[in-house]
Amino acid sequence: MQKWQTKEQLVDLLCNLVNIPSVTGSAAEKDLPGYVVDQLRTLPYYQANPDHVRANPTGDERHFVTALVKKEGVRDTIILVSHFDVVDVEDYGAWQKHSFDPKTLTPLFQQNQADMPAEVQQDLRTGNWLFGRGTMDMKCGLTLHMSMIERAIAGEFDGNILLLTVPDEEVNSVGMRAAVPELLKIAEEFDLEYKTVLNSEPMFTRYPGDQNKYLYTGSIGKVLPGFLCYGKETHVGEPFAGLNGNYMASQITCELELNTSFCEVVEGEASPPPTNLIQKDLKKEYSVQIPHRAVTLFNLFLLEKQMEEVVKPLLDTAKNVADRIKQNYIKHASQFANFAPFNPRDLSISVMTYEELYAYALKTYGEEKLKQLEADVIASRNDKDDRDTTIELVDQLAILCKELSPMMILFFAPPFYPAVSSRNHPLIMQISSEMESYARDQHGVTLVKQNYFGGISDLSYVGLQYPAASMQPLVANMPLWDNGYSIPLQELEAFDVPVLNLGPVGRDAHQWTERLDVDYAFDTLMDMLPRCIQSLLKPEIKINN
């Protein structure tokens, strides 16, 4: 008897998965893999092959699930990847207690349409939408993949299917980073050859009101560059005797925020410009001493740039800002000298990378001192996340080397998502074209091919566009690298499998109006997804042309 093939069965499975409030870092996130494994083990195939389904540890009390359906004597394998963590639900307000219960929340929204945004009212009137946290992003994808596992067991595909579902995609991708080395081991253990990593992240709109349906042949990359600004302390009554760190950081923010010169354009697709994620001073308490240390941190998307191409324009920007601050300081100091007899001091602001600061500190203070400084910060991190711990490491090193101030120090904080694109891979080119035709001819759906999934995804960790050695400018300037955060670069270089994303239609990811188009997901996509998998396993001969 089939468990996950009818629309009703799929809705029930999706709602059961959503009912588990697997917010990233929560106890429920740790519990959900057990539910998936238990459900898969009700299938006779896994009762006969119990070692083919596993809950694999990530090293932090969380687990990712792998479930293999293996055909005798066949190596070709498609990996179906998804994530089961979700963002929190504080934004639901009065609806929060129902945010993980789509079968209750959806009728409530129907009954209260007048309180909904106009776009939501439109969907409530004209479509079959299911509301709730994770319905779209991305427990529908996991639901579909569990259904594909059942079809694989029934012999529908001419190859092997490996389900992979991971935690922590929404924060640091601990799950996927831990999974890649295990995938290499599984390939060796079962003699598998991975043909494609197929994701089913939902389609993300590119602009408000976007109604297009997308097929993605890659996933956007991102880095988190930051600048620690170390000025000079002084009393607020003598501001020209010092240099305010907040002022320095704010000037960098003004220069980088939405700066389109940092956008990349690849075949007409543009990456969004940088935007600030953290800006704050580093004083521990209020006083009338100016905040002479501050930090500013940015989201910066990547498509094809190598890391050395990222570092140089960031440093150039900081140098321009440093010069502008100096000129502005001289201007205001000269004007103030008309009111009080003083000679403005010389001002010079150094701009350097964390790597350069560390090299200076190593030469000046020795390795033992630096190792102790790092150990103290790591030991006292408590509940600090990776961003705050990174900032603390840079700050403590800057304090140690305060004789270099005023200074601006470029560094990188986790997470790092490498950009990945298979748009020129022959197999992906062929199957993308085939799926576009199939969607149009069989379902009247126009799929628009996109080179990069813009929502950031775990597809970033299935290969590297460039050699691992090219990541050195990132590694050397990320204080937390191998101090609690790293990416298996060598394994990624060895893995190197093409990617494709074919997913459901949803709206408003990470918002209280998150919803899933049920008809598209469990009618249209339930027909297209198995067709895509079979085509990836058995492409036409023209791939070799």
Side-chain angles (χ1 to χ4, degrees):
M1 179 179 176
Q2 292 181 319
K3 288 172 61 77
W4 307 311
Q5 298 306 314
T6 70
K7 182 187 286 188
E8 182 180 7
Q9 289 173 332
L10 291 164
V11 169
D12 285 343
L13 175 58
L14 172 59
C15 290
N16 289 339
L17 289 168
V18 172
N19 289 160
I20 302 172
S22 52
V23 174
T24 313
S26 68
E29 186 192 24
K30 297 177 182 178
D31 294 338
L32 193 143
Y35 175 81
V36 174
V37 169
D38 289 345
Q39 288 297 308
L40 291 169
R41 283 181 174 160
T42 65
L43 303 176
Y45 176 85
Y46 291 115
Q47 293 170 7
N49 300 276
D51 63 325
H52 285 206
V53 57
R54 300 169 180 172
N56 309 269
T58 60
D60 61 357
E61 299 183 353
R62 291 181 285 190
H63 292 79
F64 61 92
V65 176
T66 53
L68 174 66
V69 181
K70 180 78 165 67
K71 294 178 79 79
E72 189 67 31
V74 176
R75 300 189 68 230
D76 289 353
T77 305
I78 303 298
I79 299 174
L80 304 179
V81 65
S82 63
H83 69 87
F84 54 77
D85 65 314
V86 299
V87 297
D88 66 38
V89 293
E90 293 178 357
D91 54 324
Y92 277 81
W95 312 104
Q96 184 171 338
K97 66 179 180 179
H98 302 300
S99 56
F100 293 108
D101 186 1
K103 291 186 177 181
T104 298
L105 186 65
T106 302
L108 281 173
F109 281 7
Q110 288 278 5
Q111 296 164 19
N112 293 272
Q113 286 192 39
D115 298 329
M116 302 292 118
E119 297 82 1
V120 176
Q121 293 185 39
Q122 175 73 9
D123 285 343
L124 286 168
R125 287 193 301 268
T126 62
N128 182 16
W129 295 80
L130 196 65
F131 289 76
R133 178 65 81 232
T135 51
M136 168 193 178
D137 185 17
M138 66 165 294
K139 290 180 179 177
C140 177
L142 174 54
T143 298
L144 290 162
H145 291 176
M146 291 173 71
S147 175
M148 294 303 103
I149 284 290
E150 193 173 34
R151 290 195 180 201
I153 291 171
E156 184 165 329
F157 305 122
D158 293 327
N160 311 312
I161 303 298
L162 178 60
L163 179 146
L164 169 65
T165 190
V166 301
D168 193 50
E169 189 267 357
E170 300 290 2
V171 179
N172 284 325
S173 286
V174 166
M176 194 64 188
R177 290 188 285 122
V180 170
E182 188 62 29
L183 291 173
L184 291 172
K185 294 177 184 177
I186 290 173
E188 184 175 354
E189 178 182 355
F190 292 99
D191 191 27
L192 308 178
E193 181 178 348
Y194 298 134
K195 305 299 290 186
T196 305
V197 178
L198 179 59
N199 203 345
S200 289
E201 284 273 13
M203 302 173 194
F204 275 61
T205 55
R206 299 182 68 197
Y207 49 84
D210 183 8
Q211 298 295 315
N212 288 319
K213 296 177 173 62
Y214 295 105
L215 174 71
Y216 304 95
T217 59
S219 192
I220 201 166
K222 69 169 283 183
V223 288
L224 290 177
F227 286 93
L228 189 133
C229 299
Y230 197 118
K232 187 180 187 312
E233 67 275 19
T234 187
H235 190 283
V236 294
E238 295 182 278
F240 288 107
L243 181 59
N244 196 305
N246 277 344
Y247 171 55
M248 298 167 71
S250 69
Q251 293 303 298
I252 291 180
T253 298
C254 288
E255 188 67 22
L256 284 177
E257 181 70 18
L258 304 180
N259 187 334
T260 55
S261 69
F262 285 87
C263 296
E264 291 185 69
V265 181
V266 175
E267 295 181 358
E269 292 180 33
S271 63
T275 190
N276 186 267
L277 290 177
I278 295 173
Q279 181 175 315
K280 60 182 179 179
D281 69 74
L282 301 176
K283 284 178 64 176
K284 303 299 184 183
E285 68 283 315
Y286 172 81
S287 74
V288 291
Q289 182 190 63
I290 66 167
H292 64 286
R293 300 176 352 266
V295 68
T296 184
L297 189 67
F298 297 85
N299 187 92
L300 179 59
F301 285 116
L302 305 176
L303 299 181
E304 291 190 335
K305 285 183 179 178
Q306 297 192 50
M307 286 310 305
E308 63 183 15
E309 298 175 277
V310 174
V311 169
K312 186 180 185 306
L314 287 169
L315 286 174
D316 288 344
T317 298
K319 289 174 183 176
N320 290 335
V321 169
D323 186 64
R324 190 163 65 241
I325 290 172
K326 177 180 178 179
Q327 298 305 317
N328 208 35
Y329 175 90
I330 293 171
K331 171 187 171 183
H332 291 302
S334 298
Q335 291 172 343
F336 189 74
N338 293 323
F339 309 131
F342 85 106
N343 294 317
R345 68 184 184 89
D346 290 334
L347 180 65
S348 178
I349 302 172
S350 300
V351 175
M352 68 190 76
T353 62
Y354 175 80
E355 180 182 19
E356 290 169 334
L357 179 65
Y358 192 92
Y360 171 86
L362 183 64
K363 180 179 179 180
T364 306
Y365 298 102
E367 183 176 8
E368 183 177 350
K369 178 71 173 178
L370 269 58
K371 293 299 181 185
Q372 186 60 53
L373 182 151
E374 291 178 352
D376 290 345
V377 171
I378 298 300
S380 62
R381 69 175 293 175
N382 297 322
D383 294 330
K384 288 180 182 175
D385 72 5
D386 286 350
R387 271 61 55 191
D388 285 336
T389 304
T390 296
I391 292 167
E392 181 72 10
L393 283 167
V394 182
D395 189 36
Q396 290 303 313
L397 191 64
I399 291 172
L400 179 67
C401 304
K402 59 183 177 295
E403 64 272 16
L404 298 178
S405 64
M407 55 184 162
M408 295 174 173
I409 305 153
L410 171 65
F411 65 93
F412 292 98
F416 166 57
Y417 286 82
V420 59
S421 178
S422 300
R423 69 183 186 278
N424 295 321
H425 191 282
L427 175 62
I428 301 305
M429 291 172 67
Q430 178 187 323
I431 303 309
S432 297
S433 178
E434 180 180 320
M435 293 311 301
E436 289 176 60
S437 298
Y438 185 80
R440 181 182 61 249
D441 296 343
Q442 298 299 315
H443 297 284
V445 170
T446 300
L447 285 179
V448 179
K449 185 175 74 69
Q450 287 288 298
N451 296 325
Y452 297 92
F453 175 74
I456 307 173
S457 79
D458 281 331
L459 287 180
S460 285
Y461 300 109
V462 300
L464 293 175
Q465 289 193 97
Y466 304 107
S470 70
M471 300 296 175
Q472 187 58 27
L474 173 81
V475 171
N477 289 297
M478 184 177 282
L480 214 55
W481 192 274
D482 285 339
N483 266 330
Y485 180 89
S486 63
I487 295 170
L489 294 176
Q490 302 304 321
E491 288 88 344
L492 289 185
E493 203 168 42
F495 193 72
D496 194 27
V497 180
V499 303
L500 191 64
N501 193 110
L502 180 62
V505 172
R507 298 276 187 268
D508 297 348
H510 297 193
Q511 300 178 47
W512 65 273
T513 48
E514 177 181 351
R515 58 200 182 277
L516 174 78
D517 183 337
V518 175
D519 293 335
Y520 187 90
F522 298 145
D523 287 330
T524 305
L525 191 53
M526 269 295 287
D527 177 59
M528 293 198 298
L529 192 59
R531 171 66 179 248
C532 181
I533 293 170
Q534 178 64 6
S535 296
L536 288 165
L537 287 165
K538 292 292 179 182
E540 298 175 19
I541 298 300
K542 64 182 180 183
I543 185 178
N544 296 317
N545 291 346

